[in-house]
């Protein structure tokens, strides 16, 4: 059998474009919103972890496709954003959420 391939944002984007055709950035973002709604529903309904993981993967796949279209490396963008987040001061709400202090 064929082993699992390790995907990159380049291979994911190439697959998406090859399968669905060239999409505008707005179409890609709209798709990400649809996938996020499906993930939200899966969590709200308490679906099995494997199903939630699949929905989360769909969100990530679409975001990686967008990043490739933008010509950015999403992992590098995440690293840069996390470095910024770690330097910020945060106000927490006690429910696992918070906002940064301006």
């Amino acid at each position: 059998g064929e082993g699992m391939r390790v995907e990159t944002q380049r291979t994911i984007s190439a697959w998406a474009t090859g399968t669905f055709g060239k999409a505008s950035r707005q179409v890609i973002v709209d798709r990400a919103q649809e996938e996020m709604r499906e993930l939200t529903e899966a969590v709200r309904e308490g679906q099995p972890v494997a199903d939630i993981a699949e929905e989360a993967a769909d969100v990530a796949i679409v975001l990686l496709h967008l990043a490739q279209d933008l010509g950015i490396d999403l992992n590098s963008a995440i690293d840069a954003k996390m470095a910024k987040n770690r330097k910020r001061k945060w106000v927490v709400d006690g429910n696992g959420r918070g906002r940064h202090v301006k």
Side-chain angles (χ1 to χ4, degrees):
E2 189 177 310
M4 290 278 289
R5 83 183 284 157
V6 176
E7 299 285 357
T8 65
Q9 73 178 44
R10 186 188 57 74
T11 64
I12 288 166
S13 186
W15 170 82
T17 300
T19 302
F20 306 113
K22 177 74 174 137
S24 71
R25 290 175 184 161
Q26 187 61 57
V27 165
I28 297 170
V29 169
D30 291 346
R31 184 66 192 177
Q33 290 280 21
E34 290 173 30
E35 296 297 352
M36 194 65 210
R37 281 191 291 276
E38 291 177 11
L39 174 58
T40 300
E41 191 174 301
V43 170
R44 186 182 300 121
E45 293 174 356
Q47 291 182 13
V49 171
D51 294 345
I52 294 171
E54 197 166 298
E55 296 300 345
D58 283 340
V59 172
I61 287 165
V62 178
L63 293 178
L64 288 164
H65 179 41
L66 177 65
Q68 186 68 21
D69 187 73
L70 291 166
I72 62 168
D73 177 74
L74 190 55
N75 287 318
S76 295
I78 290 168
D79 290 345
K81 181 62 179 186
M82 283 304 301
K84 190 174 182 179
N85 285 344
R86 290 178 191 285
K87 291 178 185 166
R88 288 179 158 160
K89 298 284 185 227
W90 295 88
V91 175
V92 297
D93 69 3
N95 291 317
R97 291 178 50 163
R99 58 182 168 79
H100 66 87
V101 179
K102 304 241 184 225

